[in-house]
Amino acid sequence: MTGRGAQWMDAFRTQLWPLPTLAVALAVVSGTVLPALDAAVDGQLPESVTVFLFSGGPEAARSVLQAISGSLITVTSLTFSLTVVTLQLASSQFSPRLLRTFTSDRFVHVTLALFLAAFAFALTVLRSVRDESPGTSLFVPEISVTVAFGLAIASVIGLVLFLAHLTREIRVETMMRRVNVETQETIDRVFPADRPARGPEPVPSSEAILIHSTSSGFLTSIHQGELMRAAEDFGAVIRIDREPGSSLVEGVPFATAWPIEPGTAFTRTVREKLTEHASAAVATGFERTNVQDAGFGFRQLVDVAARALSPGINDPTTAVHVIGHLSVLLGRLAERNPGPEHLTDENGRVRVVVSLPELKDLLDMAMNQPRQYGAADPAVAGRLIMLLQELTWCDPEGHYRREISDHLGRMRDAVGAANFSLAERRSLLDQADSIDLMYAKKLNPGNKENI
């Protein structure tokens, strides 16, 4: 599981300002140091090198640097405007929870950094250009002006690439793919492929205490190492009752702790220390993130499907594509033994229980709203039934048969209540019946070759 390092990296990755700010700082330093290098090698470079350097006088150098700095700040303003418009479009057309996808786009960060660095470098070098006058000698930083020219050309190319990138990024297919990839990475991080099966859930004793939250916000990450140290230091079992992505309210319980040794009770000091350490091990924020929240990607995709199925947009094709991405994620989860995490001490005793989503919870999220808003459309209804069919293929041992059958029954009810033609209803119900047949064949080893 990730720690504070991943939390800080995620916060850094989703901000627009860090990389451009670093680029401006480096450009200012370079714009100060490079003219000094120009002065040190002035007149000493071979002709084979100087032929490629700027060869104008002070006025020409000032004109070039002023043109570069003036045009690049305009281009930077245009780039910011286009980025803001894209964010507004993503928020209103698809889902406000997709904004993190855009703000974490590394291509946007690099483009803004290039523009601002070129502007800052040209402006800084402009200070070093001097005319000949009493007490001062003529100086034109040929290398620095040439570098500024090169940055300007790179910025023009960057603008063209940025426009091409932006037109691709605002496509809903691109956004869904990015959310899918990020969510798969979160699933791999939270539920690794070698995750062992869980043992029995520890039962709180009569001496259990509730731990209240000391802050409000979304639970963004849980630092398991800190919880484990607190549990061992104070002889406790700590259970975090809220999953990453849940909303915590200050003063409301979010965890439970009880003594590891039966028949003992916590002192007041220990209760206070447990509350302090458990609260410090849980990070909250004003928005959900992908650090440990495997359900956040599901929420983003379902929001896009719900918006597409609204009467104002009425785009069932997008909803069908979203359901396809949800099916991929659920199939990956079915192979990862999702559910709470049990941390044990060296004696094999469970000391920390971290609540994590079960497949049932995420299947409910993936199915309920699309079914409610889109079951009247035969394409959406058929894709939802196909999702259950694909999840059945990914569940060869039948661990999730009850959950799949439950949603299958709901889909049958929705299809029966919808205003479909007789042929459409029959086709959808036959598709649903094939899932029961798949499980029947799985339970009969003699028919495995027919699955």
Side-chain angles (χ1 to χ4, degrees):
M1 189 70 69
T2 56
R4 295 192 185 276
Q7 180 186 350
W8 285 107
M9 284 299 298
D10 180 78
F12 181 87
R13 183 177 60 88
T14 56
Q15 300 294 325
L16 281 174
W17 62 267
L19 190 59
T21 302
L22 178 62
V24 169
L26 291 175
V28 171
V29 173
S30 300
T32 304
V33 173
L34 201 55
L37 176 63
D38 261 306
V41 300
D42 189 25
Q44 302 178 22
L45 296 175
E47 186 177 351
S48 59
V49 174
T50 58
V51 71
F52 296 104
L53 299 180
F54 179 78
S55 59
E59 289 302 321
R62 287 194 186 96
S63 298
V64 170
L65 294 173
Q66 288 171 353
I68 291 173
S69 58
S71 59
L72 281 176
I73 198 63
T74 303
V75 169
T76 303
S77 301
L78 173 64
T79 304
F80 271 112
S81 300
L82 290 173
T83 302
V84 170
V85 169
T86 303
L87 294 177
Q88 291 175 337
L89 175 64
S91 177
S92 61
Q93 187 74 14
F94 304 116
S95 169
R97 274 154 292 280
L98 287 175
L99 296 186
R100 285 179 57 86
T101 302
F102 286 97
T103 56
S104 63
D105 189 344
R106 185 59 64 189
F107 194 95
V108 175
H109 297 182
V110 172
T111 303
L112 293 177
L114 174 62
F115 292 167
L116 292 174
F119 164 76
F121 181 81
L123 204 61
T124 305
V125 172
L126 185 60
R127 298 167 57 250
S128 64
V129 180
R130 297 191 303 269
D131 286 312
E132 187 172 6
S133 62
T136 61
S137 58
L138 182 146
F139 177 64
V140 177
E142 298 176 350
I143 298 176
S144 302
V145 176
T146 305
V147 170
F149 175 78
L151 288 174
I153 297 299
S155 298
V156 172
I157 297 173
L159 177 62
V160 175
L161 295 177
F162 176 79
L163 294 174
H165 177 78
L166 200 61
T167 56
R168 183 174 65 252
E169 287 299 304
I170 61 177
R171 296 170 53 192
V172 66
E173 290 82 4
T174 303
M175 289 186 289
M176 289 190 294
R177 178 183 58 82
R178 290 192 62 181
V179 173
N180 188 330
V181 171
E182 289 180 354
T183 307
Q184 288 192 44
E185 292 173 352
T186 304
I187 290 173
D188 293 343
R189 188 164 53 243
V190 177
F191 305 117
D194 57 350
R195 191 174 192 237
R198 302 188 308 276
E201 196 78 15
V203 179
S205 65
S206 58
E207 294 82 13
I209 63 170
L210 296 176
I211 299 177
H212 299 79
S213 177
T214 57
S215 61
S216 299
F218 291 105
L219 197 166
T220 56
S221 60
I222 301 170
H223 308 297
Q224 297 183 359
E226 297 180 20
L227 287 173
M228 191 66 183
R229 285 193 293 272
E232 293 178 336
D233 291 343
F234 300 108
V237 178
I238 302 175
R239 185 184 68 196
I240 304 298
D241 298 321
R242 309 298 291 273
E243 299 173 359
S246 301
S247 179
L248 301 185
V249 178
E250 184 177 355
V252 175
F254 76 97
T256 306
W258 61 93
I260 186 67
E261 300 298 337
T264 61
F266 295 132
T267 64
R268 179 177 179 179
T269 301
V270 170
R271 289 199 298 269
E272 293 175 351
K273 289 291 186 181
L274 277 174
T275 299
E276 177 185 348
H277 284 74
S279 298
V282 172
T284 58
F286 65 93
E287 63 177 346
R288 297 174 68 174
T289 71
N290 287 314
V291 176
Q292 295 182 4
D293 186 0
F296 183 47
F298 284 84
R299 180 74 274 160
Q300 290 175 297
L301 290 171
V302 171
D303 282 353
V304 174
R307 189 70 63 92
L309 293 170
S310 64
I313 297 179
N314 194 24
D315 182 14
T317 301
T318 294
V320 169
H321 293 172
V322 169
I323 296 169
H325 286 281
L326 291 170
S327 180
V328 171
L329 297 175
L330 288 169
R332 195 177 192 87
L333 268 175
E335 304 170 352
R336 298 303 178 93
N337 187 29
E341 180 84 6
H342 292 176
L343 305 181
T344 59
D345 58 20
E346 57 186 11
N347 296 319
R349 296 179 298 182
V350 176
R351 303 302 297 271
V352 174
V353 179
V354 178
S355 292
L356 295 172
E358 300 274 4
L359 186 135
K360 176 185 182 301
D361 304 325
L362 299 176
L363 179 60
D364 289 344
M365 187 187 303
M367 291 290 298
N368 288 343
Q369 287 186 342
R371 184 187 65 251
Q372 180 178 354
Y373 300 134
D377 187 287
V380 176
R383 190 62 186 89
L384 287 171
I385 295 175
M386 186 179 295
L387 181 151
L388 298 174
Q389 188 177 47
E390 290 163 348
L391 184 57
T392 302
W393 279 105
C394 297
D395 181 32
E397 304 298 327
H399 297 303
Y400 305 107
R401 181 177 184 181
R402 178 179 300 178
E403 291 82 356
I404 294 173
S405 297
D406 176 53
H407 280 283
L408 196 58
R410 299 182 199 181
M411 284 304 305
R412 286 193 175 102
D413 293 340
V415 169
N419 187 24
F420 292 150
S421 67
L422 182 62
E424 289 173 334
R425 181 176 290 107
R426 185 67 266 163
S427 175
L428 292 171
L429 292 177
D430 287 345
Q431 186 180 354
D433 292 341
S434 68
I435 298 177
D436 290 330
L437 181 61
M438 288 173 63
Y439 271 122
K441 290 179 178 180
K442 286 181 180 182
L443 294 176
N444 185 349
N447 289 335
K448 281 187 177 180
E449 66 274 13
N450 297 322
I451 296 178

